Amino acid sequence: MDNSQSQSGTAQLDATLNALQGGLANAAGAAGPNIAGWIKTLQGNPQLSGISSELQNLHDALSSGASDTSALSKSLSTLGEHTSKVASSATPDAQAKLQQLGQALSAAGSQLKG
């Protein structure tokens, strides 16, 4: 990843964290475009294919209009786990943000479980 891609990814990470900080209700409006942006960013990176495919599952579930909170909860929790795992191998400027994002996704998954 070149420097401009790294800066773009960091900005995208900041935007995602900001959306999730307001809770799921606030994040819902930006979820579709945000998820689609992440899928595009992660394309072609075999190390992140698990995250990319789970993002696609989440995007599909949200796009279908169905309110299967169990599936959404599972997907968010899975994304949280995967994101936390990759944080340790990320660039130093992204590690803490990825860890924070992983925790926020896991918390959102738990929140949906009730």
Side-chain angles (χ1 to χ4, degrees):
M1 191 179 325
D2 67 28
N3 196 33
S4 66
Q5 285 177 314
S6 177
Q7 288 175 347
S8 172
T10 302
Q12 192 173 8
L13 194 51
D14 287 337
T16 303
L17 284 168
N18 287 336
L20 285 170
Q21 283 175 349
L24 285 178
N26 283 348
N34 198 339
I35 293 168
W38 275 112
I39 291 169
K40 184 177 178 183
T41 297
L42 299 177
Q43 270 180 336
N45 188 331
Q47 294 172 318
L48 301 175
S49 63
I51 293 175
S52 183
S53 100
E54 193 58 47
L55 281 168
Q56 189 62 57
N57 291 340
L58 180 61
H59 189 266
D60 294 346
L62 291 170
S63 298
S64 73
S67 57
D68 183 356
T69 55
S70 176
L72 293 174
S73 170
K74 184 176 187 271
S75 189
L76 288 167
S77 294
T78 299
L79 284 167
E81 290 171 25
H82 287 318
T83 302
S84 293
K85 283 180 188 172
V86 300
S88 62
S89 60
T91 60
D93 62 325
Q95 282 180 349
K97 291 178 183 185
L98 284 169
Q99 194 64 31
Q100 185 180 357
L101 178 58
Q103 291 169 355
L105 289 166
S106 293
S110 295
Q111 188 179 43
L112 277 179
K113 270 185 203 169

